[in-house]
Amino acid sequence: MATIAYLRVSTDEQARSGLGMDAQQEAIEKAAGRFDAIYRDDGYSGSDSKRPGLLDALDALGEGDQLVVAKRDRLARDVFFSAFIDKEVKRRG
């Protein structure tokens, strides 16, 4: 079972405000302990469905793996897109 971390910031302001990549990684480490892989999207909106880091993270998931984010809004800003991601993760076991 692998733990896959996903980090995202959409603006430089977010990075400076404490929601940056380092803060997200620290939050994931605190909550999940270790992780086996980390995928990042820097400068992508949470509503963008074609984020390369997210797509790679989803492709890396196998049965029994878990996808971990620091906050739900780092995964998706749109409730329907978030539901799609949830469904895709569950489909992969």
Side-chain angles (χ1 to χ4, degrees):
M1 179 174 90
T3 299
I4 297 171
Y6 175 70
L7 315 174
R8 179 187 67 80
V9 294
S10 55
T11 65
D12 289 337
E13 182 180 332
Q14 281 182 330
R16 290 188 303 271
S17 72
L19 296 174
M21 298 291 196
D22 291 340
Q24 290 178 49
Q25 185 170 333
E26 287 175 22
I28 290 170
E29 289 171 346
K30 193 179 279 187
R34 63 161 188 84
F35 48 86
D36 300 291
I38 188 166
Y39 295 88
R40 305 167 187 260
D41 281 317
D42 192 358
Y44 284 87
S45 168
S47 61
D48 185 346
S49 64
K50 294 186 169 77
R51 289 177 266 152
L54 176 61
L55 296 174
D56 288 346
L58 292 174
D59 284 343
L61 288 173
E63 188 171 340
D65 294 347
Q66 59 182 347
L67 180 64
V68 182
V69 293
K71 289 178 57 180
R72 183 80 173 179
D73 69 349
R74 300 297 87 203
L75 187 59
R77 300 293 283 180
D78 176 272
V79 69
F80 295 109
F81 186 46
S82 182
F84 168 78
I85 294 168
D86 286 347
K87 186 176 179 180
E88 183 63 19
V89 169
K90 287 178 186 170
R91 185 182 72 78
R92 293 170 184 265

